[in-house]
Amino acid sequence: MTMYQIVPMTQSQAELIANTWRYEGIYAFYDMDQDEEDMAEFLDPEARKGNVYAVTQMEEVMGFCSI
């Protein structure tokens, strides 16, 4: 069975997502560098605190969610 954990996002996880996750075609809209304000907020630990979580599987980031 695949187990996922939802955990508060660390700075290194945020930087990994912001700097390396890229989407193709029309989904490139979701690339963090498409909006400087969104990227700055995503990379700010205080702005993420209590709002943004990493979805991990065996410590590998599989996704993220904002609440």
Side-chain angles (χ1 to χ4, degrees), residues 1-7 13 54-63:
M1 174 166 43
T2 302
M3 298 293 293
Y4 295 99
Q5 290 186 319
I6 299 174
V7 297
Q13 291 168 330
V55 179
T56 63
Q57 180 184 38
M58 297 180 69
E59 299 186 31
E60 180 179 353
V61 179
M62 307 302 288

Side-chain angles (χ1 to χ4, degrees), residues 1-64:
M1 174 166 43
T2 302
M3 298 293 293
Y4 295 99
Q5 290 186 319
I6 299 174
V7 297
M9 184 173 288
T10 66
Q11 186 64 28
S12 62
Q13 291 168 330
E15 290 173 9
L16 171 75
I17 292 167
N19 295 319
T20 65
W21 286 24
R22 298 293 176 263
Y23 303 92
E24 295 182 19
I26 62 171
Y27 300 104
F29 172 83
Y30 294 107
D31 292 353
M32 287 291 165
D33 60 1
Q34 293 296 308
D35 185 311
E36 290 181 25
E37 289 179 24
D38 285 349
M39 185 167 182
E41 184 176 339
F42 190 79
L43 291 174
D44 180 349
E46 286 302 312
R48 282 194 322 272
K49 189 175 184 178
N51 298 312
V52 182
Y53 297 86
V55 179
T56 63
Q57 180 184 38
M58 297 180 69
E59 299 186 31
E60 180 179 353
V61 179
M62 307 302 288
F64 67 93

